[in-house]
Amino acid sequence: MDRSPVLRLHIPEPKHRPGEAADFSHLRLPRAGSVERPPVDSGAFAMRDLAYALIRVLDDEGTAVGPWDPQLDADTLRRGLRAMALTRAYDERMYRVQRQGKTSFYMRSTGEEAVAVGQACALERDDVVFPTYRQSGLLIARDWPLVDMMCQVYSNSADRLKGRQMPVLYSSRAAGFFSLSGNLGTQLSQAVGWAMASAYKGDHRIAAAWTGEGATAEPDFHHALTFASVYHAPVILNVVNNQWAISCYQGIAGGDESTFAARGIGYGVPALRVDGNDFLATCAVTRWAAERARSNLGPTLIELFTYRATAHSTADDPSRYRPADEWEKWPLGDPIRRLKDHLVGRGEWSEAQHEAMRKEVEEQVRAANREAEAKGTLDRGPLPPVASMFEDVYREMPAELRRQRDELLGGR
Amino acid sequence: MPAMNMVQALNSAMDVMLGRDPDVVVFGEDVGYFGGVFRVTDGLQRKYGAQRVFDAPIAEGGILGIAVGMGAYGLRPVAEVQFADYIYPAMDQLVSAAARLRYRSAGEWWAPVTVRAPCGGGIFGGQTHSQSPEALFTHVCGLKTVIPSNPYDAKGLLISAIEDDDPVVFFEPKRLYQGPFDGHPERPAVSWAKHPLGAVPGEHYRVPIGAARVARAGADVTVLAYGTMVHVALAAAQETGVDAEVIDLRTLRPLDADAIAASVEKTGRCVIVHEATRTGGFGAELAAVVQERCFYSLEAPIERVTGWDTPYPHAFEWQYFPGPARVGRALRRATEG
Ligand SMILES: Cc1ncc(C[n+]2csc(CCOP(=O)(O)OP(=O)(O)O)c2C)c(N)n1
C-alpha cells in the first residue's frame, strides 16, 4: 500500500499584494560591519557564508564601519554622490519627456543608483561593462555626455545608433559600454567571452556584466557561471536583485529557496551578497572582485540587494501587483540620501551644498535636454536619414538590400 | 453576441478551455497574478487559481521544456512567450522536442502544447518587440503555425489549438489586439466594437486549423495575407479600386493550398503580403505553392510585399511596415501586366 502523501504543486506567492501594507520585517539584515572580508584568493566553498550574508558598510547613523569600508576619500564620494544625483535627475527628465510624447518608451533606475555608480567607482575606465537597461548610471559615472544619451532616447538625427534601438538600449564602445540587448541575459556569457579574450591576449582589462534577478533564470546566466568557472575568466557577474521582475516578485526566479549569490557556490565561483543601496559597500565588493580578476584568480558573483523604486518601464503600472508603500518601507533606504548623510556626518558635505548640487544637476540635465531636443525628437524629427536603416545589416550592403533601399526611396 | 477585442477573445478562449478541461494549464512570464503584459490572461488566475494559471521564471526554454513534460504527462499546457522576439531560447525545446516527440517515439509520447506569442510591429517596440518569426516555425515539420487576424478567429483558433494533440505555435499580431489596424497610423484608431468579426460568442466554438477564409471576394487578383496584413490588403484594395480577392490564410502550416489554388485559378494573378522579412519568408513558400498548383493559370509574375531584410528599426516603423501604399502599388503592377 502506498502511504506517500498526495503530491501537491507549489506556486510561490509574495508576502503582500496591492491593498495590503508592505512589511519587510522578515528580511534578515546583518548589522553593518559585521560581515568578514576574506582574502581575495579564497575559494567559493571556504567563503560560502558570504553568499547568505549581506555586506553593509554604512550603519544606521551613516557611519562607515567594519572590514569592508573601502576608505574612500571625500572627493571620490562627492563625485559618486553627484553621479547618482545626476542619474536620478536624468531619469526623471527622460521619464517626463516620454510622458509628453516626445519618445516611445523609457526605463528608470531610481533607487538603484548605488549599483551602477558605486560599482563604476571600483572599475578602471577601460574595463568593459556588459550591463542591462537599468545601469545607465555606468555611462553617467564614466562622464559620458548626457546629450549623446538623450539623442539615443529620442532616436533623433544625432543618435549614433541611427534610430535603430528602443530608448535606453545604449551602446558606447568609447565608454567601454557594450551594446545593450533587449533579449535578457545574453550579455552575461558574452562578458565571459570578452574576459577570456582579454586573458588570451595577455591584456590587463577585465569585464563586468549585470542581470536582474528575474533573468537569472535564463540559461545564459548558467552558461556564464560555468564558463567563467572553467576558464577562470577575469569577469565580475552581478545580479541586481531589485525584488521585482515586472510583476513577478523575486520568489518566481527562485529567490525564496536560496539567495541569488548562492548560485555561484555550486559552480565554484566565489559569491558576495551586498546591500545594493550602500554606495560604500557596492564599491567595496566590486573592488574585491576586480582585484581577484586582475590577479588571475577568476570570476566573482555579486548579488546586489536593492529595490526597484519606480515602475518597470513607462509601459508598466506597479500598483496592479505590489503594495503602493513598498519603496517607503524598504529597510535599506535611498542610496543617495544614505551617502549624503555619511558625507554630512564626516563634515565633508552639508544640506545646503546638497540642495545646491541637486539644483545644479537638474539644470545640467535641462540644458542637455534643450540641446538634444534641438537635434530632434521621435515625434517631430528630425530623425536620421531613412535610407540608413539598410546600413550595417552586413559590413557591405548586398545587392538585394540595395535594391530594397532604392525601392523604398523611389516609392516603387 | 458580445463585442470583444482580440485580447478579450483570446482570454475567453482560455477561460472556456480552463472551464471545460481540468488538464488545461496556463503559464508564462507575468501571466498569473498580473494577467500578462498585454492583459490576455487577465482574471484567469483569480477564477481558476494559481495552480492552473501561474507566473513562470524568465526562461523561455524552461517554459517550453516544462510544457513538453506536462504534455507528456497528459496535460494541455498553454504557454505564453511574452514577445515572439523572445521565443528563440525556446527553439530547441520546440524544434527538437515538441515537434518530434511523437515521431521519435513512434506515437508513444506526444506533447499537445500551445505556445502563444505576440508578434509584429506597429507599437514602436524596435527590433526586440516587433518581429514576425513565423517562417522559422513553418519550416519545422511537426509544428503547426497559426496567426489569426480578428477576434472571432482568434478565439476559435485558440480553442482548436488547445484541443489539438500536436504542438501549435500561435502568433498574435499585437497591433490587432485593440482594433483592425489597416496600416494608417496617422488615422484615429478603430476598435473592434463595430467590426463584424468583433462579435464573439461567449461559449465554446472552433475555427478549424488548416482552413483559410476569403476576407474579400474579388475577380482581378488574389492577395495572400495573414494577421495584420489582411487589413492592410483590404485597405489597399479599397484605395486602389483593384478588385482583389483577399485570402486570410489563418493557418500557415497546415496550409489551405486548395483555397489558394481555387482563387488564383480564378484571378490568374497573385500578390503575397507579409510583415516579416523577405528573404526566406513564408511568402517564398506561398509563391512556390502557387507556381506548383497554378502555373498555367498565371497571367503575371507573382508579387511579394514584405518587411525589408533588416531588423525592425525603432525610428522607422512606418517606412519598414509594408503599408497600403506599397501593397497598392503591387496590386497595380500585378493587374497591369
Ligand atoms: C529573453 C527575454 N524574455 C523576456 C523579456 C521581457 N522582459 C523584459 S524586462 C523583463 C523583466 C526583467 O526582470 P529582471 O531581470 O529582474 O530585471 P529588472 O527589470 O527588475 O531590472 C522581462 C520579462 C525579454 N526582454 N527578454
Side-chain angles (χ1 to χ4, degrees), chain A residues 65-86:
Chain A
V65 292
W68 284 95
D69 178 3
Q71 314 273 347
L72 297 173
D73 62 65
D75 274 343
T76 305
L77 290 178
R78 279 189 291 258
R79 268 203 307 282
L81 184 66
R82 190 188 171 91
M84 289 201 289
L86 187 56

Side-chain angles (χ1 to χ4, degrees), chain A residues 217-247:
Chain A
E218 289 287 2
D220 312 72
F221 177 65
H222 305 274
H223 299 159
L225 285 166
T226 303
F227 282 74
S229 170
V230 168
Y231 298 108
H232 293 195
V235 66
I236 308 173
L237 298 170
N238 301 292
V239 177
V240 184
N241 179 358
N242 64 8
Q243 313 304 317
W244 291 93
I246 312 186
S247 74

Side-chain angles (χ1 to χ4, degrees), chain B:
Chain B
M1 230 186 275
M4 293 190 198
N5 63 29
M6 199 139 138
V7 170
Q8 293 161 328
L10 292 161
N11 183 282
S12 174
M14 286 183 274
D15 189 355
V16 164
M17 289 310 296
L18 283 158
R20 278 166 75 99
D21 184 350
D23 288 340
V24 172
V25 290
V26 172
F27 53 90
E29 296 158 17
D30 302 291
V31 155
Y33 184 86
F34 186 49
V37 297
F38 290 104
R39 326 285 323 133
V40 178
T41 54
D42 190 24
L44 296 179
Q45 185 182 75
R46 222 174 307 125
K47 188 162 171 185
Y48 296 100
Q51 298 264 318
R52 299 191 62 199
V53 181
F54 55 88
D55 288 319
I58 302 172
E60 294 74 13
I63 288 169
L64 264 296
I66 67 160
V68 170
M70 288 173 161
Y73 183 95
L75 301 188
R76 291 196 177 275
V78 184
E80 177 179 300
V81 168
Q82 198 163 85
F83 286 87
D85 316 60
Y86 302 138
I87 205 167
Y88 307 118
M91 221 54 188
D92 200 35
Q93 288 290 348
L94 274 168
V95 175
S96 313
R100 296 193 213 144
L101 191 54
R102 183 187 302 284
Y103 190 81
R104 77 182 197 217
S105 68
E108 265 192 4
W109 298 94
W110 66 96
V113 172
T114 301
V115 197
R116 301 177 31 249
C119 70
I123 64 158
F124 280 94
Q127 59 172 323
T128 52
H129 303 85
S130 310
Q131 293 168 37
S132 298
E134 63 273 8
L136 298 175
F137 299 91
T138 57
H139 190 57
V140 177
C141 47
L143 294 182
K144 298 183 177 179
T145 302
V146 174
I147 309 186
S149 73
N150 59 75
Y152 182 89
D153 285 353
K155 175 168 173 181
L157 283 164
L158 184 54
I159 287 175
S160 295
I162 297 170
E163 291 180 346
D164 202 295
D165 283 338
D166 289 317
V168 179
V169 182
F170 193 96
F171 287 120
E172 302 167 2
K174 63 179 87 72
R175 186 63 205 222
L176 298 182
Y177 275 150
Q178 305 300 331
F181 178 68
D182 67 359
H184 283 292
E186 73 287 359
R187 295 189 189 157
V190 181
S191 86
W192 284 111
K194 297 217 170 64
H195 195 284
L197 294 169
V200 178
E203 63 272 18
H204 177 278
Y205 68 94
R206 298 185 189 101
V207 169
I209 288 177
R213 169 184 78 95
V214 178
R216 179 193 193 279
D220 293 348
V221 54
T222 298
V223 181
L224 302 180
Y226 49 91
T228 313
M229 289 303 131
V230 171
H231 305 279
V232 173
L234 292 172
Q238 204 211 344
E239 288 162 24
T240 54
V242 171
D243 187 20
E245 177 145 297
V246 179
I247 309 279
D248 177 355
L249 296 173
R250 302 200 287 201
T251 305
L252 304 189
R253 189 165 184 173
L255 181 68
D256 191 349
D258 290 344
I260 294 171
S263 178
V264 176
E265 276 161 14
K266 182 176 76 176
T267 62
R269 294 159 202 275
C270 182
V271 172
I272 294 163
V273 191
H274 59 63
E275 192 179 339
T277 51
R278 182 179 181 88
T279 303
F282 194 67
E285 177 66 24
L286 289 172
V289 167
V290 170
Q291 185 278 138
E292 286 160 3
R293 300 274 303 245
C294 315
F295 182 75
Y296 295 106
S297 310
L298 283 173
E299 291 170 42
I302 301 168
E303 289 276 346
R304 274 190 291 167
V305 186
T306 69
W308 310 117
D309 281 339
T310 77
Y312 221 113
H314 173 250
F316 302 117
E317 187 107 316
W318 304 119
Q319 286 86 358
Y320 183 92
F321 185 89
R326 274 180 68 203
V327 177
R329 285 194 291 274
L331 291 180
R332 289 223 173 82
R333 281 197 303 274
T335 47
E336 275 159 13

